[in-house]
């Protein structure tokens, strides 16, 4: 009887020990998973994009052989999907993909005819950015970023009819840019975060040219205008990082 009592006590001790070990490893795994989630963040967002051509020159008008050409970059949008890796202390690395559509208004007119419209040039950017964040409050950080951007342009775009034609000529389908920016980041209670920032994207080389050809059916002469597209832009950036 004493041996049975001792065995029961031993089994209870082993069971309690196993429960404590299970609780310990479960807590450790949860902490490890939480640490991993802090090291890698996935975000989605959008940018409000303003071409540097728009800020420096705005709308431009040209008169050639009785034809008035007008050209103006327009505000556009971009959509982001980013992955941010925490490296050490306050430093992080960010990559992902951005779909950006640069937009341009155009117009052609004479005493009798008038045409106007806009073209959008789509492209995809892959950033390779280094980020430095500095805490400014319990749940807020300010940061700066900079790096290299690889940009892929699927193809050229154009529009027109028998009387006129406009198109964007691209120098190269694969472009690169330098980027610099600053942001402020707010951590939310559910583990997510929001970020607002401002950045400048400077293309290495130029994007291409914007051509406008005026060719009415009853004319034997084509009147053309060409505007250089630099491709640089400023952007107001909004990001939401998933919990």
């Amino acid at each position: 009887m004493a041996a049975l009592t001792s065995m029961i006590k031993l089994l209870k001790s082993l069971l309690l020990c196993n429960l404590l070990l299970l609780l310990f490893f479960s807590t450790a795994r949860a902490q490890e998973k939480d640490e991993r989630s802090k090291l890698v963040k996935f975000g989605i967002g959008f940018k409000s994009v303003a071409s540097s051509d728009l800020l420096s020159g705005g709308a431009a008008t040209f008169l050639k052989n009785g034809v008035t050409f007008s050209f103006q970059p327009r505000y556009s949008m971009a959509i982001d999907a980013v992955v941010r890796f925490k490296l050490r202390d306050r430093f992080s690395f960010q990559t992902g993909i951005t779909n950006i559509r640069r937009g341009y208004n155009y117009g052609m007119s004479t005493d009798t005819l008038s045409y106007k419209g806009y073209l959008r040039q789509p492209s995809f950017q892959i950033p390779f950015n280094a980020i430095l964040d500095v805490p400014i409050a319990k749940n807020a950080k300010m940061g700066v970023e900079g790096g290299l951007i690889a940009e892929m342009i699927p193809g050229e775009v154009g529009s027109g009819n028998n009387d006129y034609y406009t198109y964007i000529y691209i120098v190269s389908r694969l472009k690169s840019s330098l980027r610099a920016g600053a942001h402020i980041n707010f951590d939310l209670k559910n583990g997510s975060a929001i970020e607002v920032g401002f950045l400048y994207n400077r293309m290495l080389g130029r994007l291409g040219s914007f051509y406008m050809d005026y060719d009415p059916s009853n004319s034997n002469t084509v009147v053309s205008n060409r505007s250089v597209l630099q491709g640089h832009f400023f952007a107001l950036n909004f990001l939401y990082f998933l919990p």
Side-chain angles (χ1 to χ4, degrees):
M1 190 67 180
L4 181 59
T5 302
S6 299
M7 185 175 295
I8 291 174
K9 289 182 178 180
L10 179 61
L11 289 174
K12 286 182 178 180
S13 300
L14 290 174
L15 180 59
L16 179 60
C17 182
N18 287 335
L19 288 174
L20 291 175
L21 288 174
L22 180 61
L23 180 62
F24 172 77
F25 284 116
S26 298
T27 304
R29 288 180 180 178
Q31 290 177 347
E32 182 180 357
K33 183 178 180 181
D34 184 61
E35 287 298 323
R36 286 200 304 267
S37 68
K38 291 181 180 179
L39 294 178
V40 182
K41 289 287 188 180
F42 298 91
I44 54 175
F46 69 92
K47 291 183 176 69
S48 177
V49 177
S51 167
S52 60
D53 297 319
L54 173 67
L55 299 178
S56 60
T61 303
F62 311 91
L63 179 62
K64 290 186 177 181
N65 299 333
V67 181
T68 301
F69 296 95
S70 61
F71 167 79
Q72 181 183 19
R74 61 185 292 171
Y75 291 102
S76 54
M77 302 292 293
I79 300 175
D80 293 312
V82 303
V83 185
R84 183 172 295 180
F85 303 90
K86 186 174 179 60
L87 300 179
R88 54 176 301 177
D89 299 331
R90 299 172 178 178
F91 292 94
S92 302
F93 171 77
Q94 181 170 293
T95 186
I97 188 166
T98 298
N99 175 223
I100 179 173
R101 294 188 175 188
R102 296 176 176 88
Y104 305 93
N105 294 323
Y106 67 86
M108 288 171 273
S109 63
T110 63
D111 294 337
T112 57
L113 297 175
S114 178
Y115 303 100
K116 62 180 180 179
Y118 70 93
L119 292 181
R120 288 180 295 185
Q121 177 63 62
S123 65
F124 297 91
Q125 295 185 332
I126 300 177
F128 301 94
N129 287 353
I131 298 174
L132 170 63
D133 284 313
V134 178
I136 58 174
K138 182 179 180 181
N139 297 316
K141 300 184 291 288
M142 286 192 69
V144 292
E145 64 179 272
L148 182 68
I149 309 297
E151 184 166 354
M152 297 165 288
I153 304 174
E156 299 167 345
V157 294
S159 176
N161 57 27
N162 294 331
D163 294 331
Y164 77 95
Y165 191 72
T166 63
Y167 67 98
I168 296 176
Y169 169 74
I170 301 299
V171 175
S172 173
R173 301 292 176 86
L174 182 61
K175 307 291 292 184
S176 58
S177 305
L178 296 177
R179 176 176 293 177
H183 60 256
I184 183 168
N185 184 293
F186 301 94
D187 294 326
L188 304 180
K189 291 182 179 181
N190 62 351
S192 61
I194 57 174
E195 186 172 288
V196 181
F198 180 80
L199 59 86
Y200 176 59
N201 191 107
R202 184 171 183 84
M203 187 168 282
L204 300 176
R206 62 185 180 89
L207 176 65
S209 299
F210 193 96
Y211 285 91
M212 292 179 278
D213 295 338
Y214 182 78
D215 183 20
S217 302
N218 58 355
S219 174
N220 296 323
T221 303
V222 178
V223 184
S224 299
N225 184 78
R226 170 180 172 267
S227 298
V228 175
L229 300 180
Q230 298 294 343
H232 319 321
F233 64 84
F234 294 88
L236 186 61
N237 193 37
F238 299 89
L239 279 173
Y240 173 74
F241 287 95
L242 303 175

